Amino acid sequence: MSALKLAYWPGCVSRGFTPELHGSMAVVADRLGIELVELDRANCCGAGVIAEHNQELADTLNARTFALAQGTGLAMMNICSTCQGAQSECQQRLDADSAYRAHINEALSDEGIEYVKDKDGFTNKNFLWVLAEDYGLDELKAKVARPLAGLRVGPFYGCYVIRPRSRIGYDEHPERDLYLEQVIEALGGEVVEYDGARKCCGFPVITMNRETSLRQAGTHLADALDAGADCLVTPCPLCHLNLDMQQPEAAKLAGRELGLAVLHLPQLVGLALGFEPDELGMGKHIASTEWVEERLTGAVPA
Amino acid sequence: MPEYTLKVRRYQPESGQPAYWQEFKVDLDPDLSVLDGLLQVRDRQDGSLVVRCSCRAAICGSCGTKINGQSTLACKTQIGEAHERANRRSAAGIAGSDGGESPIVVEPMANMPVVKDLVTDMESTHWAKIRRVTPWLIPEGDPPEREYVVPPESMIDVTQSVSCIQCGACVSSCLSMEADPEFIGPAALAKAYRFVGDPRDAQTRQRLYDLAQDPHGIYDCTHCFSCIDACPKDVAPMDQIMRLRRIATRDHGITDINNGHRHEAAFTKIIQKKGTLDESLLLQESYAQGIAGKLKPSMGAIAGLVGSIPTAVRGVRTGKMRSLTKLIPGVHKKLPGDAQEHVQRVYEHAEEHREELNLYIAGEEEIAPEPDEEEAATPEAEVEPEPDEVGER
């Protein structure tokens, strides 16, 4: 396989309240041999919230990020389902209409950049998609130093990498809503089926309707626990905020103990590559990850 | 003809027994619908199977059902396609799928009580909510002698929400309503937009104010896209809810008790100043905006801020927030070099125009083939078909 080099948009939350995501992505990319060129001048995707204020503003902000990525001559990778969703939505509008695109590009001209719709389309993929489609699950499997044998992992996608179906690219990649299961298996772990894998974590309404929000998080955590999960894994740091950071609050509302570790996707990959939990920032989580460590130390090394 | 297995959720209240699953084999052309399969079961195998349907052509909206977990119309879902979808896990080689054939799973719609088998009672979670949004026109002044006359182009905008056939698929799919049954929900809010966007209606502001202030109104939507996937008519209810939010805040300056407007305004302002999100500042400003908000915080703001203290304390303890830039609102760094000025320029340009491109109406532009290539336009360049002709996605 030729070396993978990508323009990298880490997003805001991975450098804010989930610093362990950004950190673990860096060490994991290095071990996998994926070269990441960080877009340090790029801006927030708007998370759908700026689009609520002004759709053109959200489209222009993301056109700016795409243009900066295009300036590197590389395809772009993100590590946040929410970035993926907000950016894909804007890209769909930008790609659909050349007059609109030209209008948006006016705002970027001062900076000397431009979002170009090229023939093959601009590529922006979540790390999950990169793993399954570009890096390859066989290649990933070959890199596994410590199979996650015996670890029961519940997938939690985050809405924005699986919906809406019309925008997510299922025609070309029909298994995009099955990749987490495939990755868990490639790493030697066991997939736990539970009701919430493709549901909403509730985070977008945490400041608007705290009860609706925490009830969603609590329900999915409880369902996963009841299905026997040792941990969840998610490619979305905003889901992580509600499932992990808010977990004690969700437990209060649910009226039961939860205590389920929630791993970022690069952390799960990192564990299988042989990194120690500390190197992946797992001590920064709110819900203890000790159970995951205990499970893994009991596993037979490859 | 291929044989398919339908695994149907049965519930017959008069039996006194709980709901159960029953499998049926049907012989059907793959192009025919799951509804055709169910009707074949009823005709040939079990006359007691209760299904609601009428037009069989995705017009009447009677056969809302969950097929393989997806809320949709049974008449608009081809059985061959549903069969493929049911087998996707085993096709993808995921363990636990045993590699064999999986049945097509058919259930009644969710988020509403089941009357019998696949028939649900839509009154409490659909029709009552539709009535909640005052779904009729309230014009001002005396009615004209004949019809109300408006320029045709002023009505184009509401054609998307007018396309709703009241099937309830979006209500069934709604993940907010699953957590909060009082949520007004996607169908009713899309219907609300139908009147908010109507140039003849004189109560636009009142409608928006009402829906913004309701704790189960426009700010109770979690933006999960489920309703967009469920809708057989491309109404995209979530998009209509976002437009309601946009019009409520931007055009009418409505500030709500749910922090909806404050959250959006604070988020937008932070990115203008910093380029990336300062989460501490967002939290603070979402509850108590500006100096006035902090000097005289509302009860809701105090509750919200106090409510987030335990979470912050836990964050500091684990090291998640153990740095000044993360803990103290406003210390967050700007983008490097002149990048922040360019973000500022983006804001100026976009705030001046505020264009909105609705692809349902505008469609995707057809791209001429490359001059040196013989092949026709690429598939993604195809023009969107008419809404009524859009197939199951």
Side-chain angles (χ1 to χ4, degrees):
Chain A
M1 199 194 82
S2 64
L4 210 49
K5 187 175 176 184
L6 298 160
Y8 171 45
W9 168 241
C12 303
V13 180
S14 81
R15 293 173 292 179
F17 283 173
T18 65
E20 68 279 2
L21 169 58
H22 192 227
S24 58
M25 187 66 247
V27 297
V28 164
D30 189 49
R31 181 74 57 94
L32 291 174
I34 301 175
E35 193 182 337
L36 300 177
V37 179
E38 193 167 324
L39 298 169
D40 59 349
R41 288 172 59 87
N43 46 257
C44 171
C45 70
V49 180
I50 290 181
E52 275 174 39
H53 167 76
N54 177 346
Q55 197 184 73
E56 180 184 334
L57 178 57
D59 289 355
T60 319
L61 285 169
N62 284 311
R64 181 174 177 273
T65 299
F66 303 156
L68 291 169
Q70 287 180 326
T72 66
L74 304 166
M76 181 170 133
M77 181 181 97
N78 65 73
I79 49 171
C80 173
S81 296
T82 303
C83 289
Q84 181 76 59
Q87 291 174 335
S88 299
E89 182 173 338
C90 295
Q91 191 187 343
Q92 188 184 31
R93 284 191 287 266
L94 292 166
D95 287 350
D97 193 305
S98 53
Y100 184 62
R101 197 159 58 246
H103 170 70
I104 297 289
N105 273 326
E106 273 174 23
L108 307 180
S109 60
D110 280 358
E111 200 171 358
I113 55 174
E114 182 189 11
Y115 170 63
V116 182
K117 183 195 177 185
D118 56 28
K119 211 165 56 172
D120 305 320
F122 171 65
T123 303
N124 171 29
K125 288 184 180 181
N126 186 274
F127 176 53
L128 177 63
W129 297 356
V130 170
L131 268 184
E133 293 162 11
D134 304 301
Y135 194 79
L137 295 176
D138 289 337
E139 183 77 15
L140 177 64
K141 222 181 262 181
K143 286 269 171 32
V144 170
R146 172 173 58 183
L148 306 179
L151 188 69
R152 295 174 51 80
V153 188
F156 196 93
Y157 281 85
C159 304
Y160 300 76
V161 284
I162 48 169
R163 284 185 291 270
R165 300 195 66 84
S166 57
R167 195 186 294 137
I168 229 70
Y170 287 105
D171 287 346
E172 206 184 332
H173 306 285
E175 291 170 12
R176 278 191 168 167
D177 59 350
L178 293 171
Y179 286 167
L180 269 181
E181 281 89 341
Q182 292 170 352
V183 167
I184 293 166
E185 292 198 339
L187 302 175
E190 195 183 319
V191 176
V192 175
E193 280 192 59
Y194 69 107
D195 200 41
R198 289 165 187 79
K199 290 190 173 177
C200 178
C201 70
F203 182 75
V205 292
I206 186 74
T207 57
M208 277 122 54
N209 192 332
R210 194 176 157 81
E211 208 176 308
T212 298
S213 178
L214 294 177
R215 180 159 290 133
Q216 294 189 68
T219 303
H220 307 326
L221 288 162
D223 283 347
L225 273 169
D226 292 347
D230 296 321
C231 65
L232 295 184
V233 63
T234 181
C236 182
L238 282 82
C239 293
H240 198 271
L241 291 180
N242 236 32
L243 295 170
D244 177 69
M245 194 166 88
Q246 299 283 3
Q247 194 176 120
E249 301 298 309
K252 277 185 218 163
L253 191 76
R256 63 175 276 181
E257 280 188 34
L258 293 170
L260 181 64
V262 184
L263 306 191
H264 299 285
L265 177 60
Q267 289 177 326
L268 189 79
V269 174
L271 286 172
L273 295 179
F275 287 107
E276 292 309 314
D278 273 357
E279 296 175 273
L280 300 167
M282 282 167 57
K284 287 199 165 77
H285 292 198
I286 299 301
S288 170
T289 57
E290 271 171 37
W291 180 255
V292 174
E293 294 165 40
E294 281 167 26
R295 269 289 151 109
L296 287 179
T297 42
V300 187
Chain B
M1 245 182 298
E3 188 183 72
Y4 299 103
T5 306
L6 296 174
K7 183 179 174 183
V8 184
R9 182 93 169 156
R10 304 289 309 268
Y11 173 59
Q12 311 252 340
E14 67 279 7
S15 72
Q17 300 300 311
Y20 61 98
W21 293 101
Q22 190 173 5
E23 291 196 3
F24 300 99
K25 302 243 186 259
V26 292
D27 294 314
L28 222 56
D29 192 278
D31 296 340
L32 290 177
S33 70
V34 172
L35 177 63
D36 291 318
L38 291 166
L39 295 179
Q40 192 186 92
V41 169
R42 196 179 68 182
D43 292 346
R44 299 185 194 169
Q45 299 177 51
D46 186 345
S48 76
L49 180 69
V50 182
V51 183
R52 180 165 55 203
C53 66
S54 178
C55 76
R56 302 200 206 178
I59 292 166
C60 75
S62 301
C63 64
T65 315
K66 265 174 91 176
I67 299 170
N68 297 322
Q70 173 73 53
S71 301
T72 184
L73 292 179
C75 71
K76 205 175 180 236
T77 307
Q78 290 186 338
I79 199 160
E81 209 174 88
H83 172 74
E84 275 170 35
R85 224 182 248 195
N87 282 316
R88 276 173 351 107
R89 281 181 72 85
S90 43
I94 291 167
S97 51
D98 74 22
E101 292 280 295
S102 302
I104 298 164
V105 179
V106 185
E107 301 165 81
M109 288 197 286
N111 286 337
M112 36 188 111
V114 178
V115 177
K116 194 169 185 175
D117 289 342
L118 298 175
V119 174
T120 55
D121 175 7
M122 290 173 63
E123 173 54 30
S124 59
T125 55
H126 181 73
W127 296 113
K129 288 169 191 286
I130 292 281
R131 289 194 294 273
R132 160 71 185 80
V133 302
T134 324
W136 56 84
L137 204 63
I138 311 176
E140 211 165 28
D142 296 328
E145 232 166 84
R146 297 181 58 183
E147 69 272 26
Y148 285 93
V149 179
V150 289
E153 59 272 18
S154 70
M155 293 297 286
I156 292 175
D157 184 57
V158 294
T159 52
Q160 190 172 16
S161 46
V162 164
S163 310
C164 174
I165 55 171
Q166 310 286 347
C167 66
C170 61
V171 173
S172 165
S173 77
C174 179
L175 297 178
S176 257
M177 207 185 281
E178 194 177 277
D180 174 15
E182 289 184 74
F183 177 38
I184 294 176
L189 290 173
K191 182 57 75 187
Y193 182 76
R194 185 252 167 276
F195 293 98
V196 164
D198 192 314
R200 297 167 296 176
D201 196 83
Q203 296 295 322
T204 309
R205 189 189 159 81
Q206 195 54 42
R207 288 178 188 275
L208 291 164
Y209 182 79
D210 171 42
L211 297 173
Q213 288 289 59
D214 191 321
H216 314 285
I218 52 176
Y219 293 112
D220 203 14
C221 164
T222 63
H223 209 273
C224 73
F225 296 99
S226 291
C227 58
I228 295 184
D229 276 358
C231 180
K233 292 301 198 185
D234 283 352
V235 170
M238 191 194 94
D239 288 351
Q240 310 310 326
I241 297 172
M242 295 308 132
R243 300 169 92 190
L244 288 170
R245 289 186 186 179
R246 207 148 51 226
I247 299 168
T249 56
R250 184 187 69 191
D251 297 344
H252 294 272
I254 294 168
T255 301
D256 56 282
I257 56 166
N258 304 303
N259 295 319
H261 185 189
R262 273 193 296 275
H263 178 73
E264 170 245 280
F267 194 115
T268 307
K269 206 166 159 190
I270 288 168
I271 306 309
Q272 182 173 15
K273 275 190 178 160
K274 307 273 186 177
T276 57
L277 191 60
D278 178 346
E279 293 148 311
S280 303
L281 189 60
L282 177 64
L283 207 56
Q284 176 195 289
E285 294 295 301
S286 291
Y287 289 119
Q289 202 161 31
I291 295 167
K294 284 168 205 73
L295 289 177
K296 258 181 82 179
S298 67
M299 286 309 286
I302 293 169
L305 282 169
V306 170
S308 51
I309 287 172
T311 307
V313 168
R314 282 188 290 264
V316 172
R317 215 182 292 148
T318 64
K320 201 176 250 304
M321 301 175 199
R322 201 173 292 155
S323 78
L324 283 180
T325 50
K326 279 170 203 165
L327 204 59
I328 301 180
V331 181
H332 189 84
K333 271 196 204 128
K334 282 183 188 174
L335 292 178
D338 60 355
Q340 196 60 49
E341 289 158 37
H342 290 297
V343 168
Q344 179 64 37
R345 169 79 190 114
V346 164
Y347 267 74
E348 285 160 15
H349 186 266
E351 293 288 34
E352 188 188 330
H353 298 92
R354 294 184 153 170
E355 269 195 37
E356 240 176 270
L357 184 66
N358 183 353
L359 296 181
Y360 177 89
I361 289 161
E364 290 188 27
E365 122 193 303
E366 204 166 349
I367 294 170
E370 294 289 307
D372 55 348
E373 279 179 36
E374 282 177 31
E375 50 185 300
T378 52
E380 58 268 28
E382 278 172 20
V383 181
E384 277 280 293
E386 284 300 303
D388 281 357
E389 294 165 17
V390 175
E392 175 68 25
R393 290 177 178 170

